[in-house]
Amino acid sequence: MYDRAVQGDTIAPEARAGRPSAPEFDVLLAEYRSVRAFSEELCRPLAIEDYVVQSMDDVSPTKWHLGHVSWFFETFLLLPELGGYEPFHPRFSFVFNSYYNAVGERHPRPQRGVLARPTVAEVLAYRRHVDRHMTRLLANVSAAAERVASVVEIGLHHEQQHQELMVTDFKHVFGVNPLHPAYRPASAGGNGAPPGPLEWVPCAGGLRWFGHAGPGFAYDNEGPRHRRFLPPYRLADRLVTNGEYVNFMADGGYRRPELWLSDGWDAVNREGWEAPLYWSRDGSDWQQATLSGLRPLAPSEPVVHVSYFEADAYARWAGVRLPTEFEWEAAAMDATPAAAVANFVEEKAFHPRPCPPSAGLRQLYGDAWEWTASDYAPFPGYRPAPGALGEYNGKFMCNQYVLRGGSCATPRAHVRATYRNFFPPGKRWQFSGIRLADEG
Amino acid sequence: MYDRAVQGDTIAPEARAGRPSAPEFDVLLAEYRSVRAFSEELCRPLAIEDYVVQSMDDVSPTKWHLGHVSWFFETFLLLPELGGYEPFHPRFSFVFNSYYNAVGERHPRPQRGVLARPTVAEVLAYRRHVDRHMTRLLANVSAAAERVASVVEIGLHHEQQHQELMVTDFKHVFGVNPLHPAYRPASAGGNGAPPGPLEWVPCAGGLRWFGHAGPGFAYDNEGPRHRRFLPPYRLADRLVTNGEYVNFMADGGYRRPELWLSDGWDAVNREGWEAPLYWSRDGSDWQQATLSGLRPLAPSEPVVHVSYFEADAYARWAGVRLPTEFEWEAAAMDATPAAAVANFVEEKAFHPRPCPPSAGLRQLYGDAWEWTASDYAPFPGYRPAPGALGEYNGKFMCNQYVLRGGSCATPRAHVRATYRNFFPPGKRWQFSGIRLADEG
Amino acid sequence: MYDRAVQGDTIAPEARAGRPSAPEFDVLLAEYRSVRAFSEELCRPLAIEDYVVQSMDDVSPTKWHLGHVSWFFETFLLLPELGGYEPFHPRFSFVFNSYYNAVGERHPRPQRGVLARPTVAEVLAYRRHVDRHMTRLLANVSAAAERVASVVEIGLHHEQQHQELMVTDFKHVFGVNPLHPAYRPASAGGNGAPPGPLEWVPCAGGLRWFGHAGPGFAYDNEGPRHRRFLPPYRLADRLVTNGEYVNFMADGGYRRPELWLSDGWDAVNREGWEAPLYWSRDGSDWQQATLSGLRPLAPSEPVVHVSYFEADAYARWAGVRLPTEFEWEAAAMDATPAAAVANFVEEKAFHPRPCPPSAGLRQLYGDAWEWTASDYAPFPGYRPAPGALGEYNGKFMCNQYVLRGGSCATPRAHVRATYRNFFPPGKRWQFSGIRLADEG
Amino acid sequence: MYDRAVQGDTIAPEARAGRPSAPEFDVLLAEYRSVRAFSEELCRPLAIEDYVVQSMDDVSPTKWHLGHVSWFFETFLLLPELGGYEPFHPRFSFVFNSYYNAVGERHPRPQRGVLARPTVAEVLAYRRHVDRHMTRLLANVSAAAERVASVVEIGLHHEQQHQELMVTDFKHVFGVNPLHPAYRPASAGGNGAPPGPLEWVPCAGGLRWFGHAGPGFAYDNEGPRHRRFLPPYRLADRLVTNGEYVNFMADGGYRRPELWLSDGWDAVNREGWEAPLYWSRDGSDWQQATLSGLRPLAPSEPVVHVSYFEADAYARWAGVRLPTEFEWEAAAMDATPAAAVANFVEEKAFHPRPCPPSAGLRQLYGDAWEWTASDYAPFPGYRPAPGALGEYNGKFMCNQYVLRGGSCATPRAHVRATYRNFFPPGKRWQFSGIRLADEG
């Protein structure tokens, strides 16, 4: 969710039924504490210096992430709902607003890395301040209880999105550093056996319903629920591996314009791409910068850090194509629960794992976001919600592509079969990978 | 067709049935002569200086257009099919190649305006040379007759695309000139009565077939024919007018971020947009640069020279939305033949006309290309044709939006209900306008 | 005179003594006709298309040059001095103003090449109009005769500067064209015998006077006359040749950072320089685009189309340095008249010639402008003249270097020993070459 | 010394006479300790976060400065002179090289702010490591003693240059921060009485010697000593004040092109300058970001943070000019010792002070570097020293202007009458101010 989660956020909730009761607020407070604690847990391996750097325009400094998610609660809950609340600092609204035009002016995004201040300690104090008042708010909800619960829920999903972004942003900060620092040691056993050859799973198509049907939380872009007709199709049973991708490269993948979209070929030449992001040559071999430092490339792991352009070129080279987001969603809806066993951020692998050798659709969730051939567009009948939080619901629905399924940096509770992530087609710093599709 | 027709071209034909006979070649030769002559007829009002200028990167000099469409015949027909054919000039392949990587190196597109040579006279001599040999080829076709007929047909549609581009490119060259030259005098009666208020035409939706079904020529991107499901919807009976668009502007349309896609808002600010292209202030009124020179803005004419971003913002301001390309196509398929009475380039108005006051869907064709909410993507099962002409069939299917229906600069024989034009969402120099849609 | 002559012009005259009499105005009118005619004579080999193109920002279209020099007479003489004069066209002042802020707004310089209109015929008609009224003015001068004579003189020197620029701008327009057009056939005998080895001519230095001492015209930047102290020094007797420059290249000249100024090394890398402008490889040999088309590199000709950075790097490689403008001027003042035999534009060689084999300082004038080590700065006591023409006298005295002596594109009557030409150190499209110097 | 001290450094020493003896090495070691300690003392008020940020391309992170000056000793002394020395970290040479092409590849300058690592603690450990070995080296010098002493001396002057840059870089980092942090509290009494009206001090001129004559250290660009002739001239007795500069602004200084060099006028428009750097409006008044935070503008203080373009425009507005570097140096040589009482960095004011009310030339040293009208060019007979340290002696002598006299951020021991600082004419982040001059 490049623009939504990175540049700022979205988000109008789907309707919630009824008003939450006091016990529900206890649950919500527990969730609040858990999510907030996890953000800080993720930062534990960092040095102060690591919180400050913006290694490219898409990356935000970690301290900015930590402040921004707190500003979200302050702006959309504490200020409107908690009488007499005083902002922690009068200029933080300027510093930590991501892109909400309605909320006022803001510090320019590409300049976040020039902000020496506030210090990390000050940002953490800001978090304590917000947490203290959020606790007070949730303990005393009366009027507008429904709105409070709904916005807290959004705020927590919002913070989970930023947890994923913090991980991918650490990775970039460390990945461009000539000293090759590691975020944490590699977990044992990563480099498993090669998965078997890629198999095709037939899918029936037909006239089906799509979009979120509840219960539970969903972003508004997952609806309205609506019907579409799909011709029969096939999906690859697993993600494309590094080893397979190396074959594409060895066959001139980055030097053959006929394999590329025109904009993709421009990107290859302009950016000098000759491999996925974070790959570098080590003599005749390839190595990969990971969150555990530089490692030899593991052929059996899924390829990640490829752009839509690279995913599309790989599929064309392989004689097939990428799935649409609807093909993916229909298959995920039909999949057995076993398909949902997945490498999410809670595994603390921080890296995709080789596909396990069982049969059927695997790796639908976790490991790597899967680029789809679908542009990020509104579902039929979609309308932005009224008011500030809904102001920008559709504003990123242009020149971006949908990714599905979550990655090794995604909190498990954050994704579902209808979840639509989206990024511009040239972006590579997320854990984005490739699943192939073909006509049925 | 920004990239296809401008940067170069495409194009694999849909399959043709059988081999053309000699009389058919007579017909083809007559068509060839007619299309080729029309290109030069369009240039008649120009001074030599007008053929040379590239007023922005998207524009090509007229002499380049005239040479490029001839190079197309030379490269894809005369060289492979006419034994002993000698190219007119050894460097013209470098100068007039648009984007065919497979055909060799080429002069960079944004530098076309620095080419003093070849002169216009030399380009016209080149055209004569190609015409002479094309006549010879078509008079003596034997082997591979089917391929020849098919490529001639593409070459003629290709030249028609460039006829439209020549008109829009003249318009830009004249439009940026501080002396405000006119291409030709205004045709009489342009500024008609205001059309009545916009009416909504209900459309049924359902599971329907889309894409070209023959007979006759179509580009490969109009297929394969396939089914889609549409919810019921409504279409505006005519295009949005200048007068209506002025209301949007007066209501702060260009100053309210909540009306815009995020990329659109960036464009507004980066480019300083405050009105459609070619509009300028004349005291408190607006005037418009047209191919007949500067004129006061006519409120009853359709608004043109708006980007996708502006069309989308206007629709959001109006509380509705743009149609998808499938909604447009279904309505066009169901429309009465009367709907096809249209202001195409053969009218020589070179400007859109007010909507006639009859009832029902009007202005589906001609006047202005209609931005749709559909990104330019392959139809299910689409595969590029093999070989040089098909090399790039899908390469522009990224970050562009589909427009439908043709404009006052389009040759009548060039469009049809399934025709898919496409441009990036920020482009404004085509005759692009707005038709509104809504849920049924 | 990059900015002065190209971006617009200057220029306040040194004081003239007294008022010219009628016979003098006859002489002036004859000069006027001669200079004006020569501008058009230079254009005779051009096609209409060649007048239109701006092949890079520094180049102006020939039709712009022809119009601009006429606008100069219109603006600074006809409008203020000729009662009832009507401008030829109300917008030409906008189109043909180069950089005079005081004269009003203007068309942006890098956009001169997008002006299809006015046509060449219209510009020539403009010239006729201005000439007719200038003739009238000069036949009836009464009041302010001195000012008129003085401004005519400036206007003619101004037009001569643009004559040189037209030649170098044709050369660029033709030089970047993939068809390699020639402006005119090569004159016979160009490729003469190699000059002998470079010899050093000792110069005494001491406390001397510099700057123009009259009589005759000089630009105000050639004064005030003032004293400077020079240590003894030596000058090379002739310009550096292509053959000598090839030795520098063969010795890694363009790959050794220690030979370059820091800004120069940046330019080498940013621009990808590996030879002078207009050189290209022809197998293992070099060829050179000239105004007579592509020719094999002639080793005995002076090297031209080098930047200050290349001249400076060559000198460092050779273990010596470039002369200051004062060292050049002192030597030129002391030189015998024979030193002034030179290849100026009247020779119609349009290319530098090998140095003749006589002894002593040669090639001081003509062939190639000589980069000096002196930044373009005001002489002590220099003050801009009051009024519009003098408004900008000093405004280009920053980040430019002085060149001395004139080139094969300079009108003979335009230069003298005190003449100071100037360009930014990275420019190469003038006929700029190298004379070496060293301590005495 | 923009490029020399910032992008990297210089520097070949003038010749030293003879070999230093052991006691001299004691003195040198004491100096070494003192200079090294002062760098860290300057950093004491900083938070860790403040060491990391690069707020624009010209600024380096403080931790980079601290590492780079240590790398200088490691590279030019410990590695060549101390047998068996092991570099602290194998990649630090890549990270901390500024611009020495001869020493190998390096991290790109504008990317210094993306380096999270090494941490500040690691950089300080690096300093300890270098200091330990430098102590060892200086205690045991035998062979090549002269070279060691000479390079230590350069290394210390180099570190002093970076001390000044650290101060101006902190100022920028804090100055762009929306929270307006202060480096330290303001020292008492800053805002003194207004100095009297500016007085002119006559200077005789004549044929004089310039350049460093010893004894003591000087950079090689301060020689060779040579003669020049100066016409008589006058210097202002003090720096231009903020109050005087406000008058220039109020008189349309930033809106009148006739006051500006052409490149300066471009900078005004491109950068949107309407006041010196760090000034901002506070209603109808001006305030100034200082190292003690935001403060109301003090009219009696010298104006600082102006570019050469602004200094030149101010002088033109005032009807006079800037001094040449030789006029400044001659006056400084003739000045009484009282003129050298100055506000240098040891005062810890970190801000310029109002001129004291005594008579004669004042503020020659300290407070603000004084822009001169002299481009940074080699003195006659200057030749770069051989070898690595001298590799780049002249490479910055292009497109920069000389400043003289030191500022409130300059270590007192670092400047002298012949010291030549230099920056490109558009730079404003140094403490650069204005002294006026005129003909005598």
Side-chain angles (χ1 to χ4, degrees), chain C residues 159-179:
Chain C
E159 185 143 348
Q160 287 176 323
Q161 287 181 293
H162 279 275
Q163 287 166 357
E164 172 150 11
L165 290 166
M166 289 195 303
V167 171
T168 54
D169 289 359
F170 307 155
K171 183 162 184 177
H172 196 265
V173 167
F174 290 161
V176 301
N177 195 293
L179 309 185

Side-chain angles (χ1 to χ4, degrees), chain A residues 47-50 52-55 89 91-92 94-95 107 113-121 173-174 176-179 181, chain D residues 47-50 52-55 89 91-92 94-95 107 113-121 173-174 176-179 181:
Chain A
I48 296 289
E49 290 85 345
D50 303 330
V52 179
V53 162
Q54 179 171 37
S55 53
H89 190 292
R91 298 286 284 165
F92 276 20
F94 179 84
V95 168
H107 186 76
V114 310
L115 295 179
R117 309 292 179 91
T119 63
V120 173
V173 167
F174 290 161
V176 302
N177 194 294
L179 308 185
Chain D
I48 296 290
E49 291 85 345
D50 304 329
V52 179
V53 161
Q54 179 172 37
S55 53
H89 190 293
R91 298 287 283 168
F92 275 19
F94 178 83
V95 168
H107 186 75
V114 310
L115 294 179
R117 309 293 178 90
T119 63
V120 173
V173 167
F174 289 161
V176 302
N177 196 293
L179 308 184

